Amino acid sequence: DAGVIQSPRHEVTEMGQEVTLRCKPISGHNSLFWYRQTMMRGLELLIYFNNNVPIDDSGMPEDRFSAKMPNASFSTLKIQPSEPRDSAVYFCASDKTGNQETQYFGPGTRLLVL
Amino acid sequence: AQKVTQAQTEISVVEKEDVTLDCVYETRDTTYYLFWYKQPPSGELVFLIRRNSFDEQNEISGRYSWNFQKSTSSFNFTITASQVVDSAVYFCALSADNAGNNRKLIWGLGTSLAVNP
């Protein structure tokens, strides 16, 4: 079975540009998580969805960040406008809703904002 | 408050040595789950193990073993006869129940393990 798929794997953009990160969860998983990893802050949960509905977005840094999950097999994380401090690795993870099911991670998107 | 502490920031060993990575957690919940993930230099996060708070049995998987002790709130990870391919950052994480609605993983800052030939 395919794991979590993320695209692009690498993104270099200039400050002020819009960035869209994409994620396809594992088939059959109904929870999806977006994380950001930086050296300074480690792994941070940005938002998670359950059955396509955003449940907790308290980790979203500010209004420049938005996430959507239009269907069970696709989610986007958008940054508009991007800033250099958004440079990080962004991970998507999915699991089956149960009770603390195991989250499986995608390969990540390495974002560099110049 | 929930917290995960991985006191060892970096560990360096020589191949074939045994190494233990420490993880101490804090939670007031009686039902919780503990996880270990591995992040090799390639960057992906690989799930290693999940343990729930009611199961204190130690786990062994090949060269990997985990020691869960509720009395000391610890969930330590030991690699026996380490190999260069074990070089990675290892993360410990906690998920507590909170009436079944808490899906967040609380992460430690990770321990970077370097296994030298």
Side-chain angles (χ1 to χ4, degrees), chain B residues 24-51:
Chain B
V24 175
Y25 61 93
E26 296 176 28
T27 180
R28 292 180 181 173
D29 292 283
T30 55
T31 302
Y32 53 89
Y33 292 76
L34 295 161
F35 302 80
W36 276 96
Y37 284 82
K38 174 182 179 180
Q39 188 172 37
S42 51
E44 71 272 25
L45 278 158
V46 179
F47 164 74
L48 294 178
I49 190 172
R50 180 182 82 156
R51 173 67 71 214

Side-chain angles (χ1 to χ4, degrees), chain A residues 21-40:
Chain A
L21 311 181
R22 297 173 176 79
C23 176
K24 177 178 169 58
I26 293 172
S27 178
H29 284 191
N30 51 1
S31 290
L32 183 141
F33 305 79
W34 281 103
Y35 288 88
R36 177 172 69 178
Q37 185 179 36
T38 61
M39 290 295 293
M40 293 299 295

Side-chain angles (χ1 to χ4, degrees), chain A residues 3-24:
Chain A
V4 176
I5 298 172
Q6 290 187 247
S7 64
R9 295 293 306 274
H10 302 273
E11 177 83 19
V12 180
T13 190
E14 292 187 348
M15 183 174 64
Q17 296 297 307
E18 177 179 295
V19 174
T20 299
L21 311 181
R22 297 173 176 79
C23 176
K24 177 178 169 58

Side-chain angles (χ1 to χ4, degrees), chain A residues 3 13-14 20 26 29 34 48 51 58 66 68-69 71 77 80 97-98 100 109 112-113:
Chain A
T13 190
E14 292 187 348
T20 299
I26 293 172
H29 284 191
W34 281 103
Y48 78 87
N51 293 323
S58 59
S66 63
K68 294 183 180 179
M69 192 164 185
N71 57 63
L77 177 67
Q80 166 64 20
T97 302
Q100 275 70 33
T109 295
L112 178 60
V113 183

